Amino acid sequence: MSFDRKIRIAPSILSADFANFGAEIRAIEDQGADWVHVDVMDGHFVPNLTFGPPAVKAFRPHVRSFMDVHLMIAPVDPYIEAYAEAGADMITAHVEAGPHPHRTLQAIRATGKKAGIALNPGTPVEAVSCLLDLCDMVLVMTVNPGFGGQKFIHSQIDKIARLRGMIGDRPIHIQVDGGIDPATAPLVVKAGADVLVAGSAVFKGGSVDRPEIYRANIRTIREAAEG
Ligand code: DX5
Ligand code: ZN
């Protein structure tokens, strides 16, 4: 995949119908999703539990685009190989997940997958300054991770802008995750984000039987983001 900064919409399947992941993934891709975002939670790093490697492996054959796996787990290093083998295209770990995020990124790169590093809202952007050369993406959380449907935290906009400056012309995506909708999308894109995760705002009102709602939701976010 060659690098560019065109806007990508990555629906989070945390907001999908949990009894119907295969059809939900195919529906969002058919309706315009660029990536599929998978939120992995461990009930320890974040107060919620979601998908182990076997679940991610079951999603894989349904994903034709790019499977972006966001690991909200600590420790993270012991599970990297399992999520790589499950078929992730990108693995993103949190900088707060342990004392050695540099080693974590090396481990992700060693699997041959794209590597991302995520920052919680309370973590300063400087936490990733020595890690950028090992990253394909930095994820700026715009809510405290754990649940879909939370309110966007506006103080993260300045963090995105400062990160954009730190990255310069390096081929590193800036992803945002949490509370992204047609109102907040233009703010984060103006600050420098290019990959927009959205759960509630994509799945709201739609279903596999009403996929045209997904199309309208994705289009509305994209148009707002592209201004
Ligand atoms: C938050 C997750 C997000 C979440 C986004 O812990 O990482 O991906 O599902 O959901 P919305 O778009 O509903 O805020
Ligand atoms: Zn996420």
Side-chain angles (χ1 to χ4, degrees):
M1 196 177 63
S2 68
F3 183 86
D4 63 59
R5 288 195 188 283
K6 80 175 167 60
I7 304 299
R8 289 177 169 83
I9 309 293
S12 164
I13 59 167
L14 192 59
S15 296
D17 174 1
F18 270 43
N20 208 6
F21 280 115
E24 288 277 43
I25 289 167
R26 293 193 303 274
I28 52 172
E29 288 192 336
D30 287 344
Q31 303 308 322
D34 298 295
W35 290 6
V36 174
H37 184 82
V38 178
D39 283 309
V40 173
M41 305 184 182
D42 68 350
H44 167 76
F45 182 72
V46 292
N48 197 0
L49 276 168
T50 60
F51 313 120
V56 174
K57 188 175 180 182
F59 303 155
R60 178 70 257 184
H62 302 281
V63 178
R64 286 158 300 171
S65 59
F66 185 84
M67 187 162 64
D68 157 35
V69 177
H70 176 194
L71 298 181
M72 289 163 272
I73 67 176
V76 60
D77 292 7
Y79 300 100
I80 288 169
E81 261 187 54
Y83 283 98
E85 278 166 19
D89 292 304
M90 164 98 73
I91 296 177
T92 298
H94 270 259
V95 73
E96 307 88 356
H100 298 296
H102 189 281
R103 176 180 291 149
T104 300
L105 288 165
Q106 287 177 319
I108 297 171
R109 284 261 169 103
T111 68
K113 307 297 183 175
K114 301 278 187 198
I117 194 82
L119 290 154
N120 281 332
T123 303
V125 70
E126 287 74 22
V128 298
S129 65
C130 299
L131 303 172
L132 291 177
D133 288 328
L134 282 167
C135 290
D136 299 291
M137 184 172 82
V138 180
L139 165 52
V140 177
M141 291 302 303
T142 40
V143 298
N144 285 296
F147 305 96
Q150 302 183 83
K151 202 172 167 310
F152 180 83
I153 300 173
H154 281 264
S155 59
Q156 302 308 299
I157 293 172
D158 179 57
K159 188 196 278 185
I160 297 163
R162 292 205 285 141
L163 175 64
R164 185 69 195 85
M166 279 166 55
I167 286 174
D169 56 13
R170 287 180 272 200
I172 302 172
H173 293 291
I174 298 181
Q175 183 176 56
V176 285
D177 185 1
I180 299 299
D181 62 20
T184 54
L187 308 176
V188 294
V189 168
K190 189 162 176 259
D194 60 294
V195 184
L196 277 50
V197 175
S200 328
V202 167
F203 286 91
K204 191 177 59 185
S207 70
V208 294
D209 300 320
R210 298 189 66 197
E212 65 281 358
I213 307 283
Y214 295 160
R215 174 166 300 268
N217 289 344
I218 291 169
R219 189 198 299 129
T220 307
I221 298 166
R222 195 188 304 280
E223 284 175 0
E226 289 171 349

